[in-house]
Amino acid sequence: MPSCPADGGSLCEWIWRTTGIDVLAENSNAVLSGVLHIVLILLTAVLVRLLVYRAINRITRITIDGSTPSILRPLRTGAARTFSTGGSLERRAQRTRAVASLLKSISSVLIMSIAAVLILAELGIEIAPLLASAGIAGVALAFGAQNLVKDFLSGVFMTLEDQYGVGDAVDLGPAAGTVVAVSLRTTTVRAADGTIWHVRNGEVLRVGNASQGEAVVTVPLALPYDADTDRAGSVALDAALTVARSENFAESVVDQPALLGVVSTGPGVVTIALSATVRAGDRDRFLRAASAAIRAAFDAARAADPAADFRPPVVTPPPDPV
């Protein structure tokens, strides 16, 4: 029989009278203290995790709605002129959500791991051997799954640096095409023939992105060999400038269209070209619009002077002197 039942109203006395277990009664204060400490550790871990999640969600909303915090900005400089106007909001939202999910996962693992170690220490378990064993197991696991770790780390840096996103036209080396999905382990690319390629992020040694930054658009115009290239180039340039200055492309065109002149010749054909610099995401759209406008301008010029058809003017030789 423990000595504490003599203390009326004590926890030891109450447990002894309720259970009749002397060991539990003797250690009641230590058990209660340990339970309270464990509950406090769990409540603190849950509260910290909730606050961290709330902060990450707030940063995510701010980033998607407007200004981007420095932690979520691309690591490379000069990003202000890097992204095309088309789809930039959706791209930023996708990338921000991916980074937010990664931060939540890392924070949860860290908080719960620290809480578990503190609980084990509170239970009187020697944690030093456990930490050493966990370190050895972690090294062995990392060595065995080094390709998986490599893919994951590569995916993290690709996301943070914003090397590409869904909808970008990319060349990853092993595969080229349009990105349809991006995860922290693999990137899914649809090739021009419709083939779906799943590329491990750790195997991507170089990234060629045709949808970021600025793109040079070249519009080739094949004409008859004896055509008036100066007149044809003038008509085409006026049409391309009209398209570039229109409301649809005023913010997309970086450098206005310019006439390159004759770029190649062939049997019965001479090719002139125009060049303009636009946002990469609007390259194909501008090329189609400019080509259509140039064709309409050529049709209008031919309709106004059917006999000319961009042929050089016929020079009548002077009459032979009598």
Side-chain angles (χ1 to χ4, degrees), residues 228-306:
D228 187 349
T229 56
D230 291 338
R231 182 185 175 197
S234 177
V235 172
L237 181 60
D238 290 341
L241 287 172
T242 301
V243 172
R245 294 166 182 170
S246 65
E247 183 178 353
N248 294 332
F249 296 100
E251 297 182 357
S252 301
V253 176
V254 179
D255 294 329
Q256 294 295 318
L259 183 62
L260 300 179
V262 177
V263 294
S264 67
T265 58
V269 176
V270 60
T271 302
I272 65 174
L274 293 93
S275 175
T277 304
V278 301
R279 301 295 183 190
D282 295 323
R283 178 184 181 278
D284 294 337
R285 190 166 64 96
F286 179 81
L287 177 59
R288 290 191 296 267
S291 299
I294 292 172
R295 177 180 178 180
F298 279 3
D299 291 342
R302 292 189 181 101
D305 188 4

Side-chain angles (χ1 to χ4, degrees), residues 1 50 83 130 140 153 174 214 227 229 247 288 298:
M1 176 179 177
L50 179 63
F83 308 111
L130 293 177
L153 292 178
E214 301 167 354
T229 56
E247 183 178 353
R288 290 191 296 267
F298 279 3

